[in-house]
Amino acid sequence: MDFTTDIPAASPVTAIVHNRAGTISVRTTDDGLPVELRIDPRELRYGAAALAGEILALNRRAAQEAAAIRHRDLREQGVPSEVVDRMRRLSCGDATAPPYVPPGRTRPEEEGR
């Protein structure tokens, strides 16, 4: 028996954000992968650390916007809100967010109390 099916891969969702001056733009996927970066040469005068910090901040914003677009599209396609909300926690890339704990379970740090 062959259980394989041809399921099309989900196309990446991207968003573009610019800095206030419009001299740096980053296009990023909803997974946080930067796929396009444009830098006006005038930005180089601020130094590598400042430029890198700005690029990272723009990349985070673009990833959040792309994830919001993906989640909106999923809701429009009929995916239940509870599923989309769980995906949001996993896709925003916030390492400080507590991990998802299914109902009826306890967090690992709460076990043994």
Side-chain angles (χ1 to χ4, degrees), residues 1-109:
M1 246 188 224
D2 183 14
F3 291 106
T4 61
T5 59
D6 291 326
I7 300 173
S11 59
V13 174
T14 62
I16 300 173
V17 297
H18 310 274
N19 65 342
R20 189 174 294 171
T23 54
I24 303 173
S25 66
V26 179
R27 183 167 66 102
T28 305
T29 67
D30 57 320
D31 290 328
L33 177 67
V35 292
E36 184 177 353
L37 174 63
R38 295 179 185 251
I39 304 170
D40 186 294
R42 294 173 291 178
E43 285 293 326
L44 301 176
R45 69 179 180 242
Y46 297 113
L51 182 58
E54 185 71 16
I55 291 168
L56 290 173
L58 292 171
N59 190 70
R60 267 191 301 276
R61 279 186 30 222
Q64 289 171 343
E65 286 187 27
I69 293 167
R70 164 86 67 198
H71 294 137
R72 184 202 63 215
D73 292 349
L74 289 171
R75 281 196 180 104
E76 289 174 357
Q77 294 170 14
V79 176
S81 292
E82 324 57 81
V83 173
V84 175
D85 290 343
R86 287 184 196 160
M87 290 174 61
R88 181 182 306 270
R89 296 190 76 172
L90 299 175
S91 67
C92 288
D94 184 5
T96 62
Y100 171 73
V101 178
R105 302 272 179 122
T106 59
R107 297 187 189 282
E109 65 270 12

